[in-house]
Amino acid sequence: MDLGRFALWAALTAGVAAGLPACGGDQAPEPDLTTLEDLVGEWEAISVRYTTAGGTEFELVENGGEALISIPSGGLVTTRISIGDYVDEWEAQWVVAGNGVLRSFPVDWSRPPRSRLFWLSQGRLTLIDSDAIFDLGLSGGPGQTAREEIVLERR
């Protein structure tokens, strides 16, 4: 078989294989088709959990904290986190990067861009950041790297 025919055969075979479900009747996974427009609205956290690699956990909402996220259509997303006297609010441009990844680009350049896994299910939005920085002791000192899992409901 010459090189041109082999390339054509390989392309056709790959295309057919990609369209077939896996053996045993399993279906190929559906792509996540959630768009930023699907997330537009006012969201309130029902859970904000930080977990360090060593297993130390802190749950913001259970400890009297609050997290609110406002997602307008076509505008900057506003996030507000508070606990006790501490309040932090910032704006960012959110981009759905596809396949369950959400990227956040803060307006304030002192804040780094973030990538989070996300999904929308049964009216709840879940965001996961595997390397967030949080002061688990609420001491005002430097934070620790922690896995952040936020579960929000529309207000």
Side-chain angles (χ1 to χ4, degrees), residues 91-102:
E91 291 182 320
Q93 183 67 50
W94 280 14
V95 176
V96 173
N99 211 21
V101 176
L102 179 71

Side-chain angles (χ1 to χ4, degrees), residues 1 9 11 23 28 77-78 88 93 108 123 128 135 139 144 146 150:
M1 180 180 307
W9 173 82
C23 294
V77 174
T78 302
D88 191 11
Q93 183 67 50
D108 178 354
I128 296 180
D135 176 13
S139 65
Q144 300 174 34
I150 303 173

Side-chain angles (χ1 to χ4, degrees), residues 52-63:
T52 66
T56 303
E57 288 190 358
F58 179 81
E59 213 301 324
L60 187 82
V61 176
E62 287 177 3
N63 284 284

Side-chain angles (χ1 to χ4, degrees), residues 1-14:
M1 180 180 307
D2 68 30
L3 187 56
R5 286 186 184 171
F6 178 76
L8 179 60
W9 173 82
L12 290 173
T13 303

Side-chain angles (χ1 to χ4, degrees), residues 96-113:
V96 173
N99 211 21
V101 176
L102 179 71
R103 297 190 197 281
S104 172
F105 301 94
V107 172
D108 178 354
W109 289 98
S110 67
R111 293 179 182 273

Side-chain angles (χ1 to χ4, degrees), residues 116-138:
R116 292 179 171 86
L117 297 177
F118 83 100
W119 60 89
L120 183 60
S121 176
Q122 299 177 352
R124 290 186 174 171
L125 174 60
T126 301
L127 304 170
I128 296 180
D129 185 343
S130 61
D131 62 348
I133 304 294
F134 187 75
D135 176 13
L136 280 91
L138 303 176

Side-chain angles (χ1 to χ4, degrees), residues 20-45:
L20 293 176
C23 294
D26 293 337
Q27 295 295 317
E30 291 292 321
D32 185 345
L33 302 177
T34 303
T35 68
L36 196 55
E37 286 299 312
D38 296 325
L39 307 179
V40 167
E42 303 294 317
W43 296 86
E44 182 172 5

